[in-house]
Amino acid sequence: MTMTPALPARIGKAAVGALGLLAVSCGALESVVQPTIPLLQRELGMGPTGGALLGILLPIAGTLATPLAGRLGDRYGGKRVLVPMMIVVCVGGLMSALAPGLPVLLIGQLLQGAMVGALPLSFVIVRKYLSAGESKVAIGVVSGFFVGGGMAGTLLAGPVAEQLSRHWMFALPTFAVIAATLLVLRLVPKDPADRPDDAGFDWPGLALLSGALITFMLGLNLAPDLGPLALLGLVLLLAAFVAGWIAVERRAASPMIDLRLLARPMMWKSSVLTFLICVGTAMSIFLVTQLWSASGDGYGFAASPTEIGLFLVPGTVAATLAGPLGGGWERRSGSRAVATIGVVVMAVALIGMAAVHSAAWHLVVGKALVALANGLIVTAMTTSVATSVASTETGVATSLVLVTRVLGMATGGMLGGVLLDAGNSSESSYATGFLLAGVVTSLALLITRTMHKGAKA
C-alpha cells in the first residue's frame, strides 16, 4: 500500500494571520510614495528628475528582490530568509522616515524594495506546512492583505503627511512591519532547508536579470522624453541583457530561474495573463484619479485629495476581499473559471467607464469592479502556480508572477500618462484610455480559453 508523505508540521490560523499582517504592513509601506511625490518634491526641493527617480526606485528594487527572495527561500527555507529581509526593510523604512534630504530617502527606498520579496517567502512557508487546498486559501489571504495594505497606504499617505509630517507617513507603516515581523518570528515555525548550502548560486544570471529589469523599468519611465535613437539604444540594450540571461541560464548548473519552469504552460500563461490584466488595471487607476481631480469643460470633478481617498474606499475593500475569495474560489472551481469571469468583469467595467463617466459614482463603481477582478485573477494565478509546482520551486515560481505584476502595473501607468499627454487631457483622451485598457484586458481571454478547466490548471 502506497503511503502519502506526511507534512513536516502544521501551522495554524495565528501563523497565517501573522503573515497576513506582515503583508498588510509591507503593502502600506510600499505605496506611500506615489500619491505624495508632489508634496515630497516641494519639501525636499526636488525637480522633475528627482521625483521620477523617487517614483521608480522602489519598484525597480522590488523586481530585483522578488526572484532573489524566491530562489533563496526555496533553497534555505522561507522563514530563514524572510526575517533578515524584513530587517533590511525596517532599516530602509526608518531611513526614509528620518531622511533629512533626497539622498538618504533614496537609499531608504532602495532598501524598502526588499519588502516585495515577503510574498514569495510567505508562499514558501504555507506551501510547505499546509495541504494544496489549504495553501490556496492561505495564499489568497496573504495576497489580498498585501493589496489591501497598498490601497490603505495610498489613501492615508496624503492625510498623514499633511496633518503630521512626511516623516510619519514612513514611520507608521514601518512600526507595523516591525511588529508583524516579531509576530512571524514567534508564531511561524522554521521550515527546513530543501537544498544544501553548497549548491552554488547563479550570480551571473542574477546580474543579467537585474540589468534587463532595470533597463525595462527605466525605458518605460524615460520613453516619452527620449529621442528615437536613444529609445532604440535602450531597446537594443534590453535585448542584449535578455539574450545574455537566456544563454547563461541554459548553461548554469544551478540557474537563477530554470527556463524549463518558464516553458511550462501554467507558468507562462499565468505570467502573460497577469501582465495583461495589470496593464489594464494600472491604466484605469491612473485615469480615474486624474479624471476625479480634473476640472475641464464639461468633465472632471475637481475633487480634493481627501475626496479622492473616499472615492477609492470601495475599491480598497474589494481588493482586500478579492484575495481570500479568489483563493477559495480557485480551490473549488479551478483557475480557468476564476480568471475568465475576472477578465470579463474587468473588461466590462473599463468599457463601461469609457462610455459613461459623467458622475463621480460611475468611476467609483467601475474602479471597485476593476480592483475586485484584478485581485481575483492575480490570486488565482498565484495559487495555481504555487500548488502546481514542486515545493522546492514555490518561491521562484510565484516570484515570476509577482514580477510580471509589477512590470504590468508600471507599463499601464506609463501608457495612461502618454495617452493623456497626447490628448491634452481632453475628455476624449480619458474615454480612449479606458477603452484601450478594456481592449488590452480582453486579450487575456485568448489565454484563459486555452487553460485547463480543472482545479489544477
Side-chain angles (χ1 to χ4, degrees):
M1 182 174 64
T2 303
M3 300 295 291
T4 301
L7 294 168
R10 290 189 61 82
I11 55 175
K13 293 180 180 179
V16 175
L19 294 172
L21 290 175
L22 182 62
V24 168
S25 306
C26 287
L29 184 58
E30 180 198 36
S31 62
V32 297
V33 166
Q34 287 295 339
T36 57
I37 285 180
L39 181 148
L40 292 171
Q41 285 179 303
R42 291 194 303 270
E43 292 200 1
L44 298 176
M46 290 188 292
T49 301
L53 180 60
L54 184 62
I56 66 173
L57 191 59
L58 192 147
I60 287 177
T63 58
L64 301 181
T66 303
L68 176 61
R71 183 65 169 169
L72 293 176
D74 285 336
R75 177 174 294 181
Y76 301 118
K79 183 179 178 180
R80 186 177 178 183
V81 180
L82 177 60
V83 173
M85 185 165 283
M86 288 304 99
I87 293 175
V88 172
V89 172
C90 293
V91 171
L94 293 175
M95 288 184 67
S96 297
L98 299 173
L102 181 59
V104 177
L105 180 57
L106 291 177
I107 296 173
Q109 290 297 290
L110 184 65
L111 296 177
Q112 282 180 222
M115 73 181 69
V116 187
L119 285 178
L121 292 171
S122 297
F123 302 156
V124 168
I125 293 170
V126 300
R127 181 72 177 89
K128 192 168 294 184
Y129 288 111
L130 297 176
S131 66
E134 292 170 322
S135 295
K136 292 176 186 289
V137 177
I139 289 172
V141 169
V142 174
S143 299
F145 279 18
F146 183 80
V147 174
M151 293 288 186
T154 301
L155 294 176
L156 298 176
V160 169
E162 291 175 348
Q163 299 300 320
L164 299 176
S165 72
R166 65 175 172 88
H167 304 286
W168 282 105
M169 78 176 188
F170 293 109
L172 292 177
T174 300
F175 294 155
V177 172
I178 294 172
T181 301
L182 292 175
L183 283 176
V184 169
L185 189 62
R186 178 177 178 81
L187 297 175
V188 176
K190 181 183 293 185
D191 47 326
D194 289 317
R195 302 183 185 183
D197 289 355
D198 59 354
F201 194 81
D202 180 22
W203 294 109
L206 175 62
L208 289 167
L209 179 62
S210 301
L213 292 173
I214 291 172
T215 303
F216 181 79
M217 295 290 286
L218 287 177
L220 285 178
N221 285 272
L222 298 177
D225 302 318
L226 293 178
L229 289 179
L231 185 59
L232 177 61
L234 268 180
V235 171
L236 292 177
L237 180 61
L238 176 61
F241 275 127
V242 172
W245 176 70
I246 292 174
V248 167
E249 297 302 89
R250 292 180 63 182
R251 293 173 173 80
S254 180
M256 176 73 183
I257 297 175
D258 192 339
L259 296 181
R260 293 172 297 180
L261 177 64
L262 277 174
R264 296 177 192 175
M266 187 65 232
M267 191 69 249
W268 70 260
K269 289 178 183 180
S270 296
S271 297
V272 173
L273 179 58
T274 299
F275 180 82
L276 289 174
I277 64 103
C278 285
V279 169
T281 299
M283 287 184 68
S284 72
I285 292 173
F286 181 84
L287 293 170
V288 163
T289 52
Q290 292 294 317
L291 187 53
W292 274 327
S293 62
S295 182
D297 184 12
Y299 68 95
F301 306 96
S304 67
T306 301
E307 290 174 321
I308 291 175
L310 293 175
F311 291 155
L312 288 171
V313 168
T316 302
V317 175
T320 305
L321 295 177
L325 289 174
W329 188 6
E330 198 277 339
R331 179 183 182 183
R332 295 188 301 271
S333 305
S335 56
R336 177 179 175 178
V338 180
T340 300
I341 293 176
V343 170
V344 171
V345 169
M346 184 182 293
V348 170
L350 290 168
I351 295 172
M353 286 191 287
V356 182
H357 48 262
S358 57
W361 71 265
H362 297 158
L363 302 179
V364 171
V365 173
K367 173 63 178 65
L369 290 174
V370 169
L372 176 65
N374 177 272
L376 290 173
I377 297 168
V378 173
T379 300
M381 294 302 97
T382 305
T383 54
S384 293
V385 165
T387 55
S388 65
V389 299
S391 61
T392 55
E393 298 174 322
T394 302
V396 69
T398 55
S399 71
L400 292 175
V401 177
L402 295 171
V403 166
T404 56
R405 171 185 172 271
V406 173
L407 298 179
M409 295 296 284
T411 303
M414 184 275 294
L415 288 176
V418 169
L419 280 172
L420 288 190
D421 287 341
N424 295 317
S425 297
S426 63
E427 183 178 8
S428 62
S429 64
Y430 286 102
T432 300
F434 286 126
L435 182 61
L436 179 59
V439 171
V440 171
T441 300
S442 299
L443 292 176
L445 292 174
L446 299 175
I447 301 296
T448 60
R449 68 186 297 271
T450 67
M451 299 171 70
H452 293 298
K453 296 182 179 179
K456 198 169 185 178

